[in-house]
């Protein structure tokens, strides 16, 4: 006669709702999840762990025990029509320690041989010489930038001695100064100066930076507040050339040097309204200011 063993079983929701206390060693099975728990006689169902846990790493295999004697074969029972619950997975054995990292570097293999150098091919013939380009003289000169220029076109401003190139930076095209010391050909010698020739008077109503074209002029500063006349490295006067300056406004005028040297005593400020002074070039980017000055 076959012996059928049945365990307590129900759905997971019913087990959780009833929350019974299983007897010590009693198995409770959730047939909708395939999970099982074993009671300890004191802990409610919800506090018991499931027998099926996450599988940890496989431990090392223990030694095989001896095989006991084979027992007699009992009678074959009747075929069961009910599948019993799956037994729980036993605990995973511990993982053995990791071996120490080697500190010895393996030997380097031998370097392969260098192959032979191939022969040098014959030199090709020299092509014909191209035509000679135009000379480097500026073809665009004048005090006003040319209209509708082409990229790479060069313009020399013969009013202040500065040179520009028309350049596109990827966003827009504009004239870009690339040198303020470009010297064109020497002009003819002008007539001998005399006191009968009127001096050019150029009045300014705000701070001003002197230009090469101001040589020989009288620059007047008619400004109500403090103001500056700047002498920078682009002025480029020749030794002995001069520019006259006068403060006609109530605002005190100060001569300021930028990338140049200006000497004066007792200072570089005009003493009062209607004070005047002369700026004389005494060397490259070096000037002497002589006149009615103050500290």
């Amino acid at each position: 006669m076959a012996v059928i063993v049945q365990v307590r079983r129900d759905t997971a929701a019913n087990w959780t709702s009833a929350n019974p206390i299983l007897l010590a060693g009693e198995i409770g099975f959730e047939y909708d999840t395939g999970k099982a728990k074993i009671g300890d006689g004191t802990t409610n169902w919800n506090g018991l762990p499931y027998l099926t846990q996450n599988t940890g790493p496989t431990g090392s295999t223990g030694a095989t025990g001896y095989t006991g004697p084979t027992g007699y074969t009992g009678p074959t029972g009747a075929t069961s029509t009910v599948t019993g619950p799956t037994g729980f997975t036993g605990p995973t054995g511990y993982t053995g320690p990791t071996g120490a990292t080697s500190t010895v570097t393996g030997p380097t293999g031998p370097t392969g041989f260098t192959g032979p150098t191939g022969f040098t091919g014959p030199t090709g013939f020299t092509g014909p010489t191209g035509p000679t380009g135009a000379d480097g003289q500026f073809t665009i000169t004048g005090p006003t930038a040319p209209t509708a220029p082409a990229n790479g076109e060069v313009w020399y401003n013969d009013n202040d001695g500065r040179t520009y190139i028309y350049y596109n930076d990827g966003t827009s095209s504009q004239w870009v100064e690339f040198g303020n010391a470009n010297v064109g050909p020497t002009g003819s010698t002008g007539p001998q100066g005399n006191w009968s020739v009127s001096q050019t008077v150029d009045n300014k109503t705000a701070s001003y930076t002197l230009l090469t074209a101001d040589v020989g002029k009288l620059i007047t500063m008619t400004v109500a507040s403090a103001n500056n006349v700047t002498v920078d490295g682009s002025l480029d006067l020749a030794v002995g050339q001069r520019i006259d300056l006068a403060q006609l406004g109530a605002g005190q005028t100060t001569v300021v040097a930028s990338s140049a040297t200006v000497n004066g005593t007792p200072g570089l400020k005009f003493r009062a309204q209607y004070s005047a002074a002369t700026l004389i070039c005494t060397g490259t980017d070096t000037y002497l200011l002589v006149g009615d000055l103050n500290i």
Side-chain angles (χ1 to χ4, degrees), residues 7 9 12 54 72 74 131 180 195 212 251:
V7 296
R9 58 194 180 279
N54 294 324
Y72 70 92
N180 57 22
W195 292 107
T212 306

Side-chain angles (χ1 to χ4, degrees), residues 98-286:
T98 302
T101 302
S102 174
T103 58
V104 179
T105 303
T108 302
T111 302
F113 67 91
T114 302
T117 302
F119 67 90
T120 302
T123 302
F125 67 90
T126 302
T129 302
T132 302
D135 63 34
Q137 294 295 322
F138 296 118
T139 57
I140 303 175
T141 60
T144 304
T147 58
N151 279 329
E153 198 164 17
V154 177
W155 162 50
Y156 172 69
N157 187 336
D158 58 4
N159 186 51
D160 60 9
R162 301 190 180 196
T163 308
Y164 304 82
I165 186 169
Y166 198 70
Y167 168 71
N168 188 303
D169 61 3
T171 302
S172 62
S173 296
Q174 60 273 310
W175 288 105
V176 178
E177 183 178 359
F178 67 89
N180 57 22
N182 299 289
V183 179
T186 302
S188 57
T189 302
Q192 178 66 37
N194 60 76
W195 292 107
S196 64
V197 178
S198 300
Q199 183 180 26
T200 300
V201 178
D202 192 351
N203 185 54
K204 306 297 178 183
T205 58
S207 292
Y208 178 67
T209 298
L210 294 174
L211 302 175
T212 306
D214 293 328
V215 63
K217 292 182 181 179
L218 170 60
I219 304 298
T220 59
M221 303 299 295
T222 307
V223 188
S225 58
N227 57 90
N228 295 330
V229 173
T230 301
V231 179
D232 64 18
S234 66
L235 183 55
D236 293 332
L237 295 189
V239 173
Q241 289 184 318
R242 63 183 61 197
I243 300 173
D244 294 327
L245 306 170
Q247 176 188 320
L248 301 186
Q252 186 177 39
T253 298
T254 302
V255 175
V256 177
S258 174
S259 300
T261 300
V262 178
N263 298 307
T265 186
L268 300 180
K269 295 180 181 289
F270 283 53
R271 183 181 60 81
Q273 188 175 13
Y274 307 119
S275 291
T278 299
L279 183 73
I280 306 170
C281 180
T282 59
T284 302
D285 292 330
T286 303

